[in-house]
Amino acid sequence: MPSSTESGQPTVILVAGLAGAIGSTLSVAVHLLKTAPHLVKPYLTTEERFAHLPLSEMVVAGWDLAGANLCRAIEDHGVIPASIWQPLQAQLETIPLFEAPEAGMDLDAAIAAVSRDIDRVESMYPQANRVLVNLLPAAPALAGGENEADFRRTFNQAPDRFPDPVYALAAIHKGIPVVNFTPNEIEWPWVVQQAAQQGVPLCGRDGKTGQTFYKLVLASAWKARKLKITGWYSLNILGNSDGANLMDPERAAGKLANKTEILEEILGYRVGDSRSCHKVHIDYYPPRGDAKEAWDVVDFEGLFDLPMSIRIDFQGRDSVLAAPMAIDMARWMVALKQSGRNGLVADLAFFFKKPLGLDPPLSYEDQISRLNTLDLT
Ligand SMILES: NC(=O)c1ccc[n+]([C@@H]2O[C@H](COP(=O)([O-])OP(=O)(O)OC[C@H]3O[C@@H](n4cnc5c(N)ncnc54)[C@H](O)[C@@H]3O)[C@@H](O)[C@H]2O)c1
């Protein structure tokens, strides 16, 4: 059990969706930071930052559906070789994994249940900084989340359809910063207002891990080089539970919009003249598991309007890309909270497909430079 040490402060990462592909990968990564840091540290963008928040003093806790078991989940997701995680099994079994609020609970009862679990974690790690990372499945947008009364009414009609706000609001009420890694819209104005009142920073939305990351990098470079993008076709195949979930068009809508809008936001012009020529597709392909693949065809024009083209075949690993980003964001949010920031933080746009907050930087160079010059005093 970590305690405040002379060298630094412990941090608890509270994860909604802990037994998911990313949550379980994150749990192993956090434990390896104590026993084999060379497997994790070099892949963190915050490795050299936040000396007062030592990586070896981090722990995780969180929630998943009834019956979830972290080690079984790690095995089932198949993201991490057994030779890496099995030696940690005894430690992984000690991670507090709480049951999600019972199905059908109304908003206040569900928030109260999650708050009680947060109190339990606090009694286990009394001096630790805390941060919530939302890793729940992509959910259908909640129509009618404009104001609190609207939201409560819609939520309570189908409380299990979109559980994310329960965790976010419980965290905000406890003064805990929130990272929204999912494509789910939880940042309604009245939620952001409550965060501001409680002195809580929020960041989101939708981690920028693979295809959208290189799309942003290439689009920023093409724009700087004055090459005109005339079409971009993107296809993703993935076989994890996120991929299966995204076969539901209502659940995929937010993610597809985030993956699509980003291109024209960077370029500042519409791709294709009258018809949209930026297409993004996601397909569930079970044999791939978490090892997703993405193909891109990028058409562009140079001098004399002459056409050129590029093909990309990206063979990634969804959760291996995502988990270190979640650790980085958790550390940023603890540091931002300590420096007195509250409400939406646009400075962390580097990490997101749909960066929120006031005037978030859009191009790759602006996102990196904002991160590198972020003042935490
Ligand atoms: N992997 C990536 O590269 C990436 C990138 C951007 C965004 N995301 C998003 O991150 C999120 C997590 O991805 P994942 O691959 O870990 O998904 P996953 O489906 O493997 O994990 C989600 C977990 O949430 C649990 N869960 C469901 N309802 C719950 C509830 N009410 N309370 C607590 N737990 C609950 C599920 O049982 C599951 O274990 C998804 O929204 C995904 O779209 C992933």
Side-chain angles (χ1 to χ4, degrees):
M1 182 179 301
S3 59
S4 199
T5 63
E6 269 177 33
S7 55
Q9 307 158 4
T11 298
V12 183
I13 307 182
L14 296 161
V15 179
L18 183 63
I22 304 177
S24 56
T25 306
L26 168 71
S27 304
V28 173
V30 165
H31 272 269
L32 283 172
L33 282 167
K34 302 176 206 311
T35 57
H38 61 282
L39 291 178
V40 182
K41 262 190 179 182
Y43 305 103
L44 296 176
T45 59
T46 56
E47 184 193 1
E48 307 290 335
R49 288 187 198 255
F50 312 129
H52 68 296
L53 305 173
L55 290 161
S56 58
E57 295 276 324
M58 287 174 69
V59 292
V60 279
W63 299 263
D64 211 290
L65 297 177
N69 172 294
L70 192 57
C71 289
R72 212 173 45 233
I74 294 168
E75 192 152 32
D76 291 348
H77 292 304
V79 172
I80 310 168
S83 59
I84 294 180
W85 73 266
Q86 275 180 351
L88 300 172
Q89 186 156 356
Q91 289 106 297
L92 292 167
E93 279 166 0
T94 67
I95 291 178
L97 173 53
F98 301 106
E99 276 185 21
E102 263 171 49
M105 269 189 182
D106 78 4
L107 184 66
D108 290 328
I111 291 176
V114 168
S115 302
R116 281 192 294 276
D117 298 334
I118 294 177
D119 289 342
R120 278 185 223 152
V121 175
E122 188 176 10
S123 62
M124 296 170 78
Y125 307 110
Q127 293 157 23
N129 298 297
R130 294 164 301 167
V131 51
L132 177 86
V133 179
N134 181 19
L135 293 177
L136 293 178
L142 191 87
E146 295 306 307
N147 57 48
E148 182 167 359
D150 254 12
F151 169 76
R152 282 180 174 281
R153 202 172 29 251
T154 323
F155 180 92
N156 287 333
Q157 277 162 9
D160 308 318
R161 230 169 112 77
F162 187 15
D164 309 50
V166 168
Y167 297 95
L169 288 167
I172 290 170
H173 295 161
K174 295 270 180 201
I176 297 173
V178 177
V179 174
N180 185 11
F181 204 88
T182 76
N184 305 337
E185 182 178 354
I186 56 170
E187 304 85 0
W188 301 288
W190 62 271
V191 172
V192 177
Q193 214 172 20
Q194 285 183 64
Q197 281 161 6
Q198 299 282 336
V200 171
L202 309 176
C203 69
R205 169 186 324 136
D206 206 354
K208 187 164 72 213
T209 49
Q211 184 180 58
T212 314
F213 173 64
Y214 67 72
K215 182 173 286 185
L216 175 109
V217 173
L218 287 177
S220 304
W222 258 233
K223 183 181 182 186
R225 189 60 182 69
K226 289 279 182 185
L227 293 164
K228 184 174 181 209
I229 292 178
T230 52
W232 197 313
Y233 177 86
S234 300
L235 177 64
N236 296 264
I237 56 170
L238 67 168
N240 56 17
S241 55
D242 189 28
N245 187 42
L246 291 169
M247 285 300 90
D248 173 349
E250 265 196 286
R251 290 176 181 270
K255 170 98 62 187
L256 287 170
N258 298 342
K259 280 168 98 60
T260 307
E261 287 160 12
I262 191 169
L263 181 61
E264 293 184 2
E265 284 168 4
I266 301 162
L267 296 175
Y269 59 83
R270 186 182 163 91
V271 174
D273 294 331
S274 53
R275 299 148 302 165
S276 173
C277 293
H278 180 209
K279 309 258 179 204
V280 182
H281 298 286
I282 302 175
D283 209 350
Y284 176 54
Y285 180 59
R288 267 314 159 89
D290 203 64
K292 73 107 63 112
E293 182 157 356
W295 291 282
D296 290 81
V297 173
V298 188
D299 290 306
F300 61 100
E301 287 175 355
L303 190 66
F304 313 130
D305 297 341
L306 289 176
M308 292 172 261
S309 193
I310 179 171
R311 302 286 178 281
I312 301 160
D313 179 356
F314 172 72
Q315 298 183 35
R317 289 176 187 271
D318 248 1
S319 306
V320 163
L321 292 165
M325 287 173 61
I327 296 176
D328 283 330
M329 286 189 256
R331 301 182 84 218
W332 270 110
M333 292 305 270
V334 169
L336 284 161
K337 157 106 172 118
Q338 289 175 333
S339 74
R341 289 286 292 270
N342 61 64
L344 287 172
V345 180
D347 306 275
L348 301 191
F350 172 72
F351 293 108
F352 294 109
K353 293 189 189 73
K354 182 80 188 166
L356 303 172
L358 197 61
D359 293 330
L362 297 176
S363 70
Y364 178 66
E365 62 271 28
D366 288 347
Q367 294 186 347
I368 278 281
S369 114
R370 182 78 78 89
L371 205 58
N372 288 337
T373 54
L374 184 48
D375 186 7
L376 289 176
T377 52

